[in-house]
Amino acid sequence: MNMGEGVEWGLHCCLALAWVGEETPVPAAKLAAWFDLPQAYLSKCLQALVRADILGSTPGVRGGYRLARPPERITLMDVVTAIEGRESVFRCTEIRQRGESAAAPAGEFRRSCGVAVAMRRAELAWRRELTAQTVADLMATAPAKSPERARRHFAATGS
């Protein structure tokens, strides 16, 4: 499974915005500069987070992005889904019923495909784990100086 880099970018932006606080919108250009990312692509990721009600955006010269809800209510799965979509990672196309097996008796494939069952089980475990962790959890494990460094950066550069 390959997730796009937008997931990492989105999570880090949520973390930075949580440190800055809801009252200070941060422009995409400042977030892009903070992480040394291409602004155009980061803006697309941020807009996906706005559509998912993870971020709020304020237009205009003093506008920017902020968290739309408290960090405790934004799960990692919320961000993954906003950026990557809700589609299942694994798609079973029942190839076991093709080729040599195409002529097998109809009853042979009554039970679900073992490969599909195993993959779904693994994906559900992965989704449960990401749903159980929030941006607040990330805040708690971040290096001690990160929040202050982010606040200083965004305050020094203005909004």
Side-chain angles (χ1 to χ4, degrees):
M1 165 176 46
N2 249 350
M3 268 191 273
E5 56 195 0
V7 171
E8 177 188 8
W9 297 5
L11 286 166
H12 279 288
C13 286
C14 285
L15 193 53
L17 293 170
W19 288 329
V20 171
E22 316 177 1
E23 65 281 345
T24 309
V26 177
K30 301 218 189 270
L31 286 164
W34 175 251
F35 293 112
D36 191 23
L37 299 172
Q39 183 183 339
Y41 184 59
L42 178 61
S43 291
K44 290 179 183 183
C45 294
L46 296 173
Q47 283 303 311
L49 295 172
V50 169
R51 285 190 298 277
D53 294 321
I54 294 168
L55 299 183
S57 65
T58 306
V61 177
R62 296 197 106 17
Y65 296 90
R66 59 181 165 50
L67 292 183
R69 47 189 145 135
E72 304 79 37
R73 292 194 34 235
I74 301 171
T75 71
L76 277 58
M77 193 69 229
D78 292 335
V79 175
V80 169
T81 301
I83 302 293
E84 295 288 323
R86 294 190 179 276
E87 196 169 312
S88 183
V89 174
F90 180 78
R91 287 173 214 72
C92 181
T93 60
E94 283 289 342
I95 66 166
R96 68 187 180 145
Q97 296 182 40
R98 296 190 228 161
E100 289 292 321
S101 297
E108 190 170 321
F109 301 108
R110 272 192 207 125
R111 294 182 71 193
S112 295
C113 172
V115 171
V117 170
M119 296 303 284
R120 281 191 199 105
R121 190 178 310 126
E123 183 174 349
L124 285 172
W126 173 76
R127 288 178 181 273
R128 274 192 298 270
E129 184 63 26
L130 291 177
T131 299
Q133 297 203 30
T134 66
V135 171
D137 296 327
L138 295 178
M139 293 170 77
T141 62
K145 298 199 184 260
S146 296
E148 184 54 36
R149 198 168 39 250
R151 285 190 289 267
R152 268 196 328 267
H153 171 79
F154 294 115
T157 58
S159 289

